[in-house]
Amino acid sequence: MSILKRLPFVSLVLLLLTYTTLGWVISKTYAPAPWFIWLLAVIAILVVLAGLTISWRRLTEYSFVLFKSNLKSFSITVLAAFLFFLMIAQFRVFLDTLVIIAAAVLGKIDFQTAGFTDGQAFCFLSIFSLTGLALGALIHKLI
């Protein structure tokens, strides 16, 4: 079967639209956005997508390293409490982030259902996410 027939176009379009919105917001908020803001956004996108496409077995191996000592467990707990505070304090930003992550999760599930490997899913999700980010910045610049 052709790879184009197996692609989940609905979730990819949704992913493209959400990241286009993110690119628009970054471009609008930081009028001429500095290069390090874009670099930070790209790195954050790739880290989130890598975290979503990593296998659960590897994720459990990494989590065991984090909780081996009491100091690490305490630090993770304090960090989680601080992130929860930020979530409540900046609820609008949290909702926008939640929509972006939900679109990426939907894409991951659709790729997994279509029989793609984790690496292929990461590549397609990364391409569409970064294209959407650039498209949002370009649309804001043109309008």
Side-chain angles (χ1 to χ4, degrees), residues 19 41-53 122 126-127 130:
Y19 279 101
V42 168
I43 290 172
I45 288 170
L46 293 177
V47 166
V48 166
L49 292 176
L52 289 175
T53 56
F122 175 75
S126 298
I127 289 169
L130 297 177

Side-chain angles (χ1 to χ4, degrees), residues 22-23 25-45 133:
L22 178 66
V25 168
I26 291 174
S27 182
K28 182 180 172 186
T29 304
Y30 305 100
W35 64 270
F36 65 88
I37 297 289
W38 293 110
L39 181 66
L40 186 65
V42 168
I43 290 172
I45 288 170
L133 187 73

Side-chain angles (χ1 to χ4, degrees), residues 2-134:
S2 172
I3 196 166
L4 287 176
K5 289 182 181 179
R6 292 182 6 202
L7 279 177
F9 285 107
V10 174
S11 61
L12 286 177
V13 167
L14 198 68
L15 187 75
L16 187 72
L17 288 175
T18 56
Y19 279 101
T20 301
T21 305
L22 178 66
W24 176 285
V25 168
I26 291 174
S27 182
K28 182 180 172 186
T29 304
Y30 305 100
W35 64 270
F36 65 88
I37 297 289
W38 293 110
L39 181 66
L40 186 65
V42 168
I43 290 172
I45 288 170
L46 293 177
V47 166
V48 166
L49 292 176
L52 289 175
T53 56
I54 196 169
S55 68
W56 288 103
R57 187 172 299 139
R58 282 193 197 157
L59 191 62
T60 57
E61 290 172 7
Y62 295 144
S63 65
F64 284 137
V65 170
L66 290 175
F67 295 110
K68 276 188 177 181
S69 71
N70 288 337
L71 180 63
K72 288 180 185 177
S73 298
F74 178 74
S75 301
I76 296 289
T77 305
V78 169
L79 178 66
F82 178 69
L83 290 177
F84 182 70
F85 166 75
L86 287 179
M87 179 187 79
I88 298 298
Q90 299 291 326
F91 197 68
R92 173 73 180 159
V93 175
F94 170 71
L95 287 179
D96 293 341
T97 306
L98 190 63
V99 168
I100 290 170
I101 291 174
V105 168
L106 176 67
K108 164 64 173 146
I109 290 171
D110 282 348
F111 275 108
Q112 192 173 10
T113 304
F116 286 91
T117 65
D118 288 339
Q120 290 172 331
F122 175 75
C123 287
F124 278 114
L125 290 174
S126 298
I127 289 169
F128 275 83
S129 299
L130 297 177
T131 302
L133 187 73

